[in-house]
Amino acid sequence: QVQLVESGGGLVQPGGSLRLSCAASGSIFSINSMGWYRQAPGKERELVASVSRAGTATYAESVKGRFTISRDNAKKLVYLQMDMLKTEDTAVYYCNTEAKKYSYSVYVHYWGQGTQVTVSS
Protein backbone atom coordinates (compact mmCIF):
# COMPACT_ATOMS: atom_id res chain seq x y z
CA GLN A 1 0.00 0.00 0.00
CA VAL A 2 0.90 3.65 -0.30
CA GLN A 3 0.89 5.77 2.84
CA LEU A 4 0.88 9.54 3.09
CA VAL A 5 1.72 11.17 6.40
CA GLU A 6 1.16 14.90 6.87
CA SER A 7 2.66 17.16 9.50
CA GLY A 8 2.95 20.83 10.29
CA GLY A 9 -0.61 21.92 10.96
CA GLY A 10 -1.63 23.98 13.96
CA LEU A 11 -2.97 27.26 15.23
CA VAL A 12 -1.62 30.52 13.85
CA GLN A 13 -2.67 34.15 13.95
CA PRO A 14 -3.84 35.96 10.83
CA GLY A 15 -0.85 37.10 8.82
CA GLY A 16 1.28 34.27 10.15
CA SER A 17 2.93 31.34 8.40
CA LEU A 18 2.88 27.57 8.53
CA ARG A 19 4.66 24.89 6.56
CA LEU A 20 2.97 21.58 5.85
CA SER A 21 4.92 18.47 4.94
CA CYS A 22 3.78 15.17 3.48
CA ALA A 23 5.85 12.03 3.16
CA ALA A 24 4.89 9.21 0.84
CA SER A 25 5.99 5.67 1.61
CA GLY A 26 5.18 2.07 0.85
CA SER A 27 5.01 0.21 -2.43
CA ILE A 28 5.71 3.03 -4.87
CA PHE A 29 7.15 2.59 -8.33
CA SER A 30 6.50 6.10 -9.56
CA ILE A 31 4.80 9.31 -8.41
CA ASN A 32 3.20 11.69 -10.86
CA SER A 33 1.50 14.73 -9.36
CA MET A 34 1.53 15.67 -5.68
CA GLY A 35 -0.75 18.21 -4.11
CA TRP A 36 -2.72 19.65 -1.25
CA TYR A 37 -6.46 19.91 -0.83
CA ARG A 38 -8.46 21.42 2.00
CA GLN A 39 -11.91 21.09 3.43
CA ALA A 40 -13.53 23.65 5.69
CA PRO A 41 -16.58 22.83 7.82
CA GLY A 42 -19.70 22.68 5.69
CA LYS A 43 -17.77 23.03 2.45
CA GLU A 44 -16.55 20.66 -0.22
CA ARG A 45 -12.94 19.61 -0.49
CA GLU A 46 -11.03 21.88 -2.84
CA LEU A 47 -7.66 21.86 -4.53
CA VAL A 48 -5.19 24.27 -2.95
CA ALA A 49 -2.07 23.54 -4.97
CA SER A 50 -0.47 20.78 -6.98
CA VAL A 51 2.94 20.19 -8.51
CA SER A 52 3.90 17.91 -11.37
CA ARG A 53 6.89 15.59 -11.35
CA ALA A 54 8.70 18.16 -13.47
CA GLY A 55 7.95 20.86 -10.91
CA THR A 56 5.15 22.77 -12.59
CA ALA A 57 2.89 24.22 -9.89
CA THR A 58 -0.79 25.08 -9.99
CA TYR A 59 -2.61 27.13 -7.36
CA ALA A 60 -6.14 27.99 -6.42
CA GLU A 61 -6.86 31.66 -7.06
CA SER A 62 -7.50 32.25 -3.37
CA VAL A 63 -3.94 31.28 -2.38
CA LYS A 64 -1.89 32.62 -5.28
CA GLY A 65 0.93 34.82 -4.06
CA ARG A 66 0.62 33.52 -0.50
CA PHE A 67 1.22 29.76 -0.72
CA THR A 68 4.13 27.93 -2.32
CA ILE A 69 4.18 24.23 -3.12
CA SER A 70 7.39 22.28 -3.63
CA ARG A 71 8.51 18.68 -3.73
CA ASP A 72 11.55 16.48 -3.25
CA ASN A 73 11.25 13.64 -5.73
CA ALA A 74 14.11 11.62 -4.28
CA LYS A 75 12.61 11.66 -0.79
CA LYS A 76 8.98 11.47 -1.93
CA LEU A 77 8.09 14.62 -0.03
CA VAL A 78 5.77 17.50 -0.83
CA TYR A 79 5.60 20.77 1.07
CA LEU A 80 3.16 23.63 1.31
CA GLN A 81 4.55 26.91 2.59
CA MET A 82 1.64 29.07 3.68
CA ASP A 83 2.29 32.76 4.30
CA MET A 84 -0.01 35.70 5.03
CA LEU A 85 -2.59 33.30 6.36
CA LYS A 86 -6.19 34.42 6.61
CA THR A 87 -9.04 33.19 8.78
CA GLU A 88 -10.67 31.76 5.66
CA ASP A 89 -7.69 29.43 5.23
CA THR A 90 -8.90 27.49 8.27
CA ALA A 91 -9.56 23.92 7.19
CA VAL A 92 -8.32 20.37 7.30
CA TYR A 93 -5.54 20.06 4.76
CA TYR A 94 -5.07 16.78 2.92
CA CYS A 95 -2.05 15.58 1.02
CA ASN A 96 -2.76 13.84 -2.27
CA THR A 97 -0.47 11.97 -4.59
CA GLU A 98 -0.92 10.22 -7.90
CA ALA A 99 1.22 7.11 -7.75
CA LYS A 100 1.59 3.62 -9.12
CA LYS A 101 2.97 0.56 -7.40
CA TYR A 102 4.44 -1.24 -10.40
CA SER A 103 5.68 -0.32 -13.85
CA TYR A 104 2.59 -1.90 -15.40
CA SER A 105 0.10 -0.34 -12.96
CA VAL A 106 -2.09 2.65 -13.61
CA TYR A 107 -1.76 5.80 -11.56
CA VAL A 108 -4.06 5.95 -8.55
CA HIS A 109 -4.79 8.87 -6.22
CA TYR A 110 -3.92 8.38 -2.57
CA TRP A 111 -4.86 10.57 0.40
CA GLY A 112 -3.33 11.41 3.72
CA GLN A 113 -5.30 11.51 6.95
CA GLY A 114 -5.42 15.30 7.04
CA THR A 115 -3.95 17.95 9.30
CA GLN A 116 -5.87 20.80 10.90
CA VAL A 117 -4.89 24.37 10.14
CA THR A 118 -6.63 27.02 12.22
CA VAL A 119 -6.08 30.72 11.59
CA SER A 120 -7.46 32.76 14.44
CA SER A 121 -6.57 35.66 16.68
Side-chain angles (χ1 to χ4, degrees), residues 29-112:
F29 173 80
S30 175
I31 295 177
N32 196 7
S33 67
M34 302 185 82
W36 292 92
Y37 288 70
R38 67 185 180 187
Q39 188 166 20
K43 295 188 176 181
E44 293 187 354
R45 191 173 298 189
E46 63 175 357
L47 174 67
V48 177
S50 66
V51 58
S52 70
R53 185 164 45 193
T56 300
T58 303
Y59 297 94
E61 284 296 325
S62 59
V63 307
K64 280 183 179 179
R66 300 187 298 120
F67 291 9
T68 303
I69 190 170
S70 61
R71 64 188 281 177
D72 183 329
N73 289 334
K75 296 181 179 179
K76 300 184 181 65
L77 294 167
V78 62
Y79 304 99
L80 185 67
Q81 177 66 40
M82 305 185 292
D83 299 317
M84 296 180 285
L85 282 159
K86 304 177 181 180
T87 55
E88 51 262 44
D89 294 318
T90 296
V92 178
Y93 283 69
Y94 296 91
C95 177
N96 175 276
T97 187
E98 190 180 19
K100 60 179 179 179
K101 295 183 182 180
Y102 310 103
S103 60
Y104 52 83
S105 303
V106 296
Y107 282 104
V108 175
H109 282 274
Y110 295 92
W111 294 90

